[in-house]
Structure formats: structure tokens, C-alpha cells
């Protein structure tokens, strides 16, 4: 097809946005004439991140259900859902896509529901080991379901599943710096043991509290720390560092060069979002995973267990992280044998070329429809 037209919908967090953009980039690399339109939720991260990546996006007034489900506020949520579905039908009529791709997040549900009702083939990409509500609701409408973990037939029709892994930011894999060069680029000492702390695109309260309480222990142990706090926590974390008088812990709201940060680190402390785990697997990084308890179906714990049960990561529950995380990380960064073992096991779980495989599946749907 000379000019394939594809809608990609989803977002809300970096864990949805990065794979979506990676899929779009893979399609454009294979089919430069492809026309790609994103559909996201108004006011969410995708409305700025997608245009920054060079793609057009349309916003819907869709939002998530409020707990408990019988809350009167959900009347307004459902009104917004039906308004979004009406709006996205207008977008589809105007754009005339050959296929719709959903990556999870609020906007995926009305977009793929509308596309399927209009006879457009749909593909969904599920990042987690425990399927999200949106993708489970869309499964019967999808022609193909791309997953990152085994055992997903308990959520989806087995004959439509293909294990592709999760696409990651290609810039992470293209980095050619040595570890010493990466540390210098991050303003760190080249030979000092280094920990990277990432709490997801919005930050993580528990992880930040743990690091903030352990500043003196890092300083005394001689370990330097790249501390991504998230924009909501940066002022508080900078204040704690200043009051503690430490120099080896470097807080920043957002790490702009994640490729250098990963390369600089001996170990990584991270939430257990699917996108982060896929990056850690592909880069072969020893990690301590602290799953967020504030996610649907506790899926981050299931993601973390999928690695820790195979000795591919260290699992620290959120409810004990403030007491144990700092000592656990100092012990691990000082144990080269343990780091080497974790690196070896996590590399076994990597699924490279995910974006290319999904791009091929998208094009198959177009050619077969």
C-alpha cells in the first residue's frame, strides 16, 4: 500500500507513550509514506510528548472511572466517554485509517470501540503481565493482541496473541558511551560506584522518602546517586539534600538523557512499570524493583515477581521500602558477583525488535483487510 493510514491511541503515562511512539517510528522507518495520527486524552502527558516526537495528536475529553464505582461522579465520567466516542468517530471519518492500534490508557477504549464498530481492524498492545481493564474490554474486538509476557491467554483469546515484548526508546540502545564517559556526562565521578533511582515519569513518593532518609548512609558508603525525583517532589528532595549537606546524591526532576544515566549506573532502583522493566531487560541492568501499590490490579507487583522469581531482579515491597531500600541498594552495588548474576539473568528475558515486530503485524492487518 502506497500510503497506509494508522491511528494509534493511548497514553496517560510514559509507560504507554514510549511504546506508542516507538511503534510509530518503526512503521515510518519501514513505510516512509505512512500517515499516523495519535488520539489521546485531553490534559494528559501524551498531548505534549507526542508532538515533541513529531506526530499529530487529537485529544478526547475522556477520563478514568472514580473509585468506588458507584460514585455519582462517574455519571460525568460516562458522559465524557460517550462524548469522546462521538468525537473519535468524527476523527476516524476525517482521517480514514486502515487500522487502529491501542496501547492502553483512557483514550484507547473509545477510540478502538469506535474503530471496531466502523469495520476498521484493531490491534492492541498490552505491556504488563496482568492485563489492564481497557485492553481486556477491547480483546474481543481486536484482530491481534501483542503481549510481553507468557500466560496471557488467561486474559485474551489464545489464537490472537503474539508475544512481541514491549517497544522501548531506541535512543537507549544506540548509546555508545563507556561507563566512565557516561558518568562524566552526568556530572559524576568516573570511578565511583553509582546508583540510578527512577520512580516513573511522575516520581514515586515511597522511593523518594527512602532515599531522602538515607542520604547520610549513601555519603558515608561512598556511593553516588542519580536521583530522578519527578517534578512534584524535586523541591522537597533538593531541600533534604541541602540540609543533609551531602554531595554524592544528585536530585533532578527529570533525567533528560536516560541513555547516559543507564550507562552510568551499576544498579538501578525503579518502580516496576512494564516500560521500565523492558528497558532494564534490553540493557541488561541489575535492578531493585519497588512496585507501586497504586496501580490497577496491583500489576506492578506481578511484573516484578515475573523477574524476581527468575533471579533477574531484587524485589522490595513498597510497604517496607522506606526501612530497607537504602541498605539493600548499598549492599548490592558493593557486590560485583551479585550484579553480574542479575545482569546475566535479566538479559535472558529481553525481547529485542519489539517495535519492528508490532509494525509488521499492523501492516499485515492492513494487507489482509
Amino acid at each position: 500500500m502506497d500510503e497506509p493510514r494508522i491511528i494509534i491511541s493511548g497514553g496517560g503515562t510514559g509507560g504507554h507513550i514510549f511504546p506508542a511512539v516507538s511503534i510509530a517510528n518503526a512503521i515510518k522507518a519501514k513505510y516512509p509514506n505512512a500517515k499516523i495520527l495519535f488520539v489521546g486524552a485531553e490534559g494528559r502527558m501524551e498531548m505534549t510528548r507526542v508532538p515533541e516526537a513529531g506526530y499529530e495528536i487529537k485529544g478526547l475529553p475522556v477520563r478514568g472511572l472514580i473509585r468506588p464505582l458507584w460514585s455519582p461522579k462517574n455519571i460525568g465520567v460516562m458522559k465524557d466517554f460517550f462524548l469522546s466516542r462521538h468525537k473519535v468517530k468524527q476523527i476516524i471519518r476525517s482521517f480514514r485509517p486502515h487500522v487502529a492500534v491501542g496501547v492502553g490508557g483512557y483514550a484507547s477504549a473509545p477510540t478502538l470501540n469506535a474503530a471496531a464498530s466502523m469495520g476498521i481492524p484493531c490491534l492492541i498492545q498490552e505491556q504488563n503481565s496482568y492485563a489492564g481493564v481497557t485492553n481486556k474490554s477491547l480483546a474481543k474486538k481486536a484482530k491481534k493482541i501483542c503481549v510481553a509476557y507468557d500466560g496471557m491467554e488467561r486474559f485474551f483469546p489464545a489464537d490472537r496473541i503474539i508475544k512481541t515484548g514491549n517497544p522501548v526508546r531506541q535512543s537507549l540502545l544506540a548509546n555508545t558511551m563507556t561507563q566512565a564517559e557516561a558518568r562524566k556526562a552526568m556530572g559524576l565521578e568516573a570511578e565511583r560506584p553509582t546508583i540510578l533511582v527512577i520512580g516513573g515519569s511522575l516520581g514515586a513518593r515511597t522511593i523518594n522518602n527512602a532515599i531522602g532518609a538515607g542520604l547520610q548512609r549513601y555519603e558515608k558508603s561512598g556511593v553516588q546517586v542519580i536521583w530522578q525525583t519527578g517534578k512534584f517532589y524535586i523541591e522537597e528532595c533538593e531541600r533534604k539534600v541541602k540540609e543533609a549537606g551531602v554531595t554524592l546524591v544528585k536530585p533532578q526532576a527529570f533525567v533528560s538523557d536516560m541513555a547516559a544515566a543507564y550507562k552510568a549506573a551499576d544498579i538501578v532502583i525503579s518502580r516496576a512499570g512494564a516500560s521500565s522493566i523492558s528497558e532494564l531487560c534490553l540493557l541488561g541492568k541489575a535492578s531493585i524493583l519497588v512496585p507501586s501499590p497504586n496501580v490497577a490490579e496491583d500489576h506492578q507487583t506481578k511484573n516484578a515477581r515475573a523477574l524476581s522469581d527468575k533471579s533477574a531482579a531484587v524485589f522490595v515491597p513498597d510497604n517496607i521500602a522506606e526501612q530497607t531500600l537504602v541498605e539493600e541498594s548499598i549492599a548490592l552495588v558493593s557486590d560485583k558477583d551479585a550484579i553480574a548474576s542479575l545482569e546475566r539473568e535479566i538479559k535472558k528475558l529481553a525481547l529485542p525488535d519489539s517495535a519492528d515486530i508490532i509494525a509488521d503485524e499492523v501492516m499485515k492487518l492492513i494487507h489482509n483487510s
Side-chain angles (χ1 to χ4, degrees), residues 37-261:
L37 176 66
F38 280 75
V39 177
E42 293 173 355
R44 305 290 288 188
M45 283 176 62
E46 58 266 27
M47 300 308 295
T48 55
R49 293 291 177 84
V50 168
E52 287 172 359
Y55 295 99
E56 182 184 0
I57 186 168
K58 302 287 188 181
L60 304 177
V62 66
R63 50 201 171 107
L65 289 168
I66 296 164
R67 307 286 178 173
L69 293 178
W70 57 84
S71 169
K73 294 180 180 178
N74 280 325
I75 295 173
V77 173
M78 293 310 298
K79 285 182 178 178
D80 284 344
F81 176 86
F82 289 112
L83 177 61
S84 295
R85 184 166 172 172
H86 174 72
K87 184 175 180 180
V88 82
K89 282 189 174 182
Q90 293 178 319
I91 292 170
I92 290 169
R93 290 189 187 101
S94 174
F95 184 67
R96 295 176 289 109
H98 299 106
V99 67
V101 177
V103 297
Y106 299 146
S108 281
T111 302
L112 269 72
N113 268 299
S117 72
M118 298 168 76
I120 296 163
C122 297
L123 176 148
I124 59 176
Q125 197 254 330
E126 174 56 58
Q127 295 101 26
N128 293 293
S129 60
Y130 196 95
V133 173
T134 297
N135 278 345
K136 282 192 285 188
S137 72
L138 293 170
K140 290 182 180 179
K141 300 176 174 68
K143 300 286 187 182
K144 189 66 69 173
I145 303 166
C146 299
V147 303
Y149 293 90
D150 293 323
M152 299 303 287
E153 59 274 2
R154 67 191 191 278
F155 305 112
F156 303 127
D159 60 337
R160 300 181 204 172
I161 293 174
I162 176 170
K163 187 178 178 183
T164 61
N166 287 323
V168 303
R169 293 170 280 187
Q170 290 305 112
S171 60
L172 301 180
L173 304 176
N175 184 282
T176 58
M177 290 181 181
T178 66
Q179 189 172 66
E181 289 170 343
R183 287 176 180 171
K184 289 178 181 177
M186 299 294 295
L188 304 172
E189 296 179 38
E191 302 302 323
R192 192 178 289 276
T194 304
I195 298 173
L196 170 62
V197 180
I198 47 177
S201 52
L202 302 177
R205 165 64 66 183
T206 301
I207 292 177
N208 285 340
N209 285 348
I211 303 303
L215 295 173
Q216 294 288 356
R217 280 175 284 170
Y218 283 128
E219 194 82 2
K220 289 176 182 176
S221 69
V223 175
Q224 58 192 358
V225 181
I226 307 165
W227 183 12
Q228 183 198 292
T229 66
K231 65 180 181 180
F232 299 118
Y233 303 106
I234 183 61
E235 291 183 6
E236 175 188 355
C237 295
E238 286 179 334
R239 176 181 54 78
K240 287 181 178 180
V241 167
K242 185 176 181 180
E243 290 175 353
V246 301
T247 61
L248 295 180
V249 180
K250 315 284 189 181
Q252 48 192 296
F254 186 77
V255 177
S256 57
D257 189 349
M258 279 302 300

Side-chain angles (χ1 to χ4, degrees), residues 296-309:
E297 311 290 354
D298 196 26
H299 67 252
Q300 286 202 9
T301 294
K302 297 174 178 70
N303 291 348
R305 287 290 190 194
L307 270 67
S308 64
D309 288 350

